[in-house]
Amino acid sequence: MTVRVMLISPAVTASREARFGDDGPLDAAGLRRTRGAAGAVPAAGLVLTAPSPRCRDTAAALGADARAEPALRDLDAGRWRGRGLTELSASEPGALAAWLTDPGAAPHGGESVRDVVARAGTWLDGLPDGRVLAVTTPAVIRAALVHALALPAESFWRLDVQPLTLTELSGRGGRWNLRCGAPLAVPGPAHGESPAAPEA
């Protein structure tokens, strides 16, 4: 038997600047967009979510009765938590550049890219047979793809995971197939509402 893993990235809040470790709840616009996609969520025997409010809110708005799974938590940004890329580019340009180019670097004191790839890989390889649905952050989805496809860790930042998309992996025993992230059926922005900004 095989496992089919369906990874859904959470909605984003359009009104906030993207920041490291931003795990705040969805705003009303994000919740509306997510509820509009609820009918497109595939069925699964095991439904999980990352423990962050944003992922839990997304899972709930999609109608998924999900259990929080610590292994799906976002990449630990250490002392950079709550800070934006613009701020770090000005205050710590060398450290930020090292982190974005060296998968083993963790100048913020949290997890390196290699760390999160190892964590996501351990979770992925330990899943039971059957259909698994998980709402988790773009970083964990990137990490799972790097692990499943045996990509070099340097490719982590080259994988773009858009909000409210579905990425599917199927396989077993270290051999995985990928169905690339397809958008869930989300209606366009409501009158007077700005579309969500892409995730950093």
Side-chain angles (χ1 to χ4, degrees), residues 7-79:
L7 302 167
I8 295 178
S9 58
V12 295
T13 297
S15 59
R16 289 198 306 252
E17 176 192 357
R19 295 184 176 276
F20 286 94
D22 181 10
D23 64 356
L26 292 181
D27 62 7
L31 286 170
R32 277 194 302 276
R33 282 190 299 276
T34 306
R35 288 181 184 126
V41 176
L46 177 62
V47 183
L48 304 170
T49 181
S52 73
R54 185 167 60 124
C55 289
R56 289 195 322 262
D57 286 355
T58 297
L62 289 171
D65 184 15
R67 172 175 59 84
E69 170 53 63
L72 297 175
R73 69 190 180 279
D74 200 4
L75 187 148
D76 179 359
R79 63 183 176 79

